[in-house]
Amino acid sequence: MSPARALDPKLFDATVAAVALFAGPEHLLVYVNAAYKRMLGARPLRRPAREAYPEPAAERFLSVLDDVLATGRPHQLNDSLLPAPDGPDEVRHFVSSCTPVTTPLGDGVLVVTLETTAETRALQRFEALVTAVSQMVWAVRADGRVEEIVPGWEKLTGTPLPDREGQEMYDHVHPRDRQALVDAWHRALARRPPEIYQNTFRLRTADGSYRHMTTRCVPVVRDGHAEEWIAATVDVEDTWNAQLREHLLARVAQASGGGLDAAFAAVVESVVPELADACVILLLTHEEWPLPEHATVTARRVASATRPGLPPAPAEMGQTVTVTPVMREVLESREPRTFRLSPDGRVPSGLVPEVTERWLTASGATSMTLLPLVVDDIVLGYATTATSGDTPVPEAVDVELLRDVLHHAQRPIRKVLDLQQARRTALRLQRAQLTRPPAVPGARLAARYQPASPANEIGGDWYDAITLPDGTLVLDIGDVAGHDLGAATVMGQMRSMLRALAWNKGSACTPAAVLGMLDDAAEGLDVGSFTTVVHTHLRRRPDGTWRMTWSNAGHPPPLLIPARGEPRFLDGNGEDPPLGVAPGLPRTSHTHALAPGDTLLQYTDGLIETPGTSLDTGQRRLLETAALHRDEDLPDLLRLLQDLSDHRDDTAMIAFRAEPAG
């Protein structure tokens, strides 16, 4: 067989089709005709194709040249986006036929290209038009008969379209949207002259979920009356979700500058009722992560909202929450979980804290979603959302939107992180200062310190107990004004100076004199701050009683819990002003005798002060609780008294109990 004759490209000089000829393994561009130059621009001849077509859009075209040359089989590019001379802003479409040929330079590829931009755009317009046509189109006659024009109802809902407008059709509409849809339709029917009517509602689909639909009804008017209505209904679920997401994130972003509580309030108010029937956000105060097994942490409810008609959420206050296994799993996995609840309203035991369980049962909840609040791999807390009654259980897209909304409150959350770091530093400082009380012959001592629940609260509370060389016991309880790292730092300075003065001056120096020297020193060294403190000396007598001498600088009075009789506060003859108010002012010492079995409690105001209630109420509760538990061991007594606090402020306590003479 004679060798194949080389193709003469001049044959294509006058053709209207764009023709290019490539030769050799590098696809040297050896020929282009005039039509090619007009259509695709001039390209340098005798150069490899990759140099002649450096644009990224030509990559697919170049790979086809490789394939045709390697296999010897022709290939057609039905929509090759070859570079066009009009520039990158002009998108043009081509069909290219790539055929193996023999050239004077060896095997090559002949490329014949036709422009199909006009045809492609026409097809795109047609596809867009088809896509834009409503999913369902029907006619509603004046007598209520329904005729489907563009089918779609049965495919969407799983049931045939009813032959008349009425309840059978409305049964597929979400119960909360149904009456509004009916009322709007009847108003449209009553208008004279008839007007175009449009409404958005949720429609139940074949799988039981709901999708947002928009119906637009155009009247066909004759003699001023609507002879029929042409109704077009389109699925707008994706658009509705996008608009809702934009709306919710905008609300949260607008409120985020107001701080943590304002941001989370905006979150719950946006989530309810758009995405859930109830939403509660809680922040955990545990400093360690991952949580130790069976760890008990305090969760502060920072925001909550419920839709009208449901029981209100529990009051916003700190509450002790034992992390359940399910909650631990959610927090450790950093992934939300949705739980469907039984129709009888019962909540599986151990799923959520008891207070939440009671609310879910009372509200007839059908589902609950737990979402961890995680920033920079630190778990700050969690959000709980719930649906009740006929509200659909949230789908994956709803949960993802909830996560986006929570994530959008990053700025205030990051502020909390910074404050938590400062709080950890302050807590380490405080715990280093708050040492274990010493062992004292003839008495028992116990102390307790509980930091505040809010992440931005760093208190200056402290207690102290030392024994002087002559056996005198010194007790201190104090509180530096402020809730930041500065307050904790001043607390450490004031505590150290007070114990140094007490040790250096000894029991011969009265508590009033010691506090006076502390006040002067704090002012002179410029470390002073508004500080309340009770400084107490306790000395045991041979008969087993103890002589108590104390001075009070603006602090809550010590509580005496006698072995017999009612507890009472030791007010002395009134208290002196706090330190840092009037240095140099004479201070007063008071005395009292403690009998065997008597208990003395010194505490900070976080134990008795609760916003919205009077100080008298807090003191009365302390008296009642102390009387009820007077016989408890001191550590147990302090633990029980701690429950009086709402955890909004730090609490320090130190207790002394006299024992009978041995």
Side-chain angles (χ1 to χ4, degrees), residues 123 304 421:
L123 179 60
S304 64
Q421 183 59 45

Side-chain angles (χ1 to χ4, degrees), residues 41-64:
R43 297 284 168 171
L45 296 177
R46 300 291 175 175
R47 302 291 294 276
R50 289 196 174 275
E51 296 181 16
Y53 298 86
E55 300 86 348
E59 189 63 34
R60 181 182 171 206
F61 169 66
L62 297 176
S63 66
V64 169

Side-chain angles (χ1 to χ4, degrees), residues 457-650:
E457 295 293 310
I458 308 169
D461 296 21
W462 90 89
Y463 64 79
D464 196 9
I466 61 174
T467 303
L468 300 181
D470 67 355
T472 300
L473 176 64
V474 176
L475 298 183
D476 291 318
I477 193 78
D479 187 0
V480 174
H483 294 88
D484 54 21
L485 183 57
T489 302
V490 172
M491 176 276 295
Q493 294 171 320
M494 297 293 283
R495 176 185 178 275
S496 297
M497 288 193 298
L498 179 54
R499 73 167 14 203
L501 286 169
W503 179 270
N504 182 264
K505 296 301 179 180
S507 59
C509 187
T510 67
V514 172
L515 289 186
M517 289 185 286
L518 175 63
D519 207 2
D520 291 339
E523 181 188 32
L525 296 174
D526 197 25
V527 297
S529 180
F530 187 92
T531 302
T532 66
V533 62
V534 175
H535 181 60
T536 304
H537 289 183
L538 287 161
R539 189 166 184 84
R540 193 183 192 200
R541 294 166 171 167
D543 62 356
T545 63
W546 289 74
R547 185 175 186 271
M548 172 188 176
T549 307
W550 79 97
S551 184
N552 188 337
H555 199 81
L559 175 65
L560 174 64
I561 311 173
R564 296 178 180 81
E566 293 300 317
R568 64 185 186 277
F569 294 105
L570 299 178
D571 295 311
N573 297 318
E575 61 188 34
D576 297 328
L579 305 183
V581 174
L585 184 74
R587 295 186 173 275
T588 308
S589 292
H590 313 279
T591 61
H592 188 81
L594 300 182
D598 287 355
T599 300
L600 174 68
L601 176 71
Q602 299 188 156
Y603 55 93
T604 56
D605 57 9
L607 187 66
I608 57 174
E609 289 187 355
T610 301
T613 62
S614 67
L615 183 60
D616 290 342
T617 299
Q619 289 182 316
R620 185 173 62 254
R621 292 174 60 208
L622 176 57
L623 289 171
E624 293 170 351
T625 306
L628 183 63
H629 300 292
R630 71 169 74 227
D631 296 327
E632 300 283 351
D633 289 339
L634 289 186
D636 293 333
L637 174 64
L638 296 187
R639 178 180 55 81
L640 293 166
L641 293 178
Q642 183 66 59
D643 291 339
L644 295 174
S645 171
D646 67 355
H647 307 291
R648 294 174 184 262
D649 196 3
D650 288 21

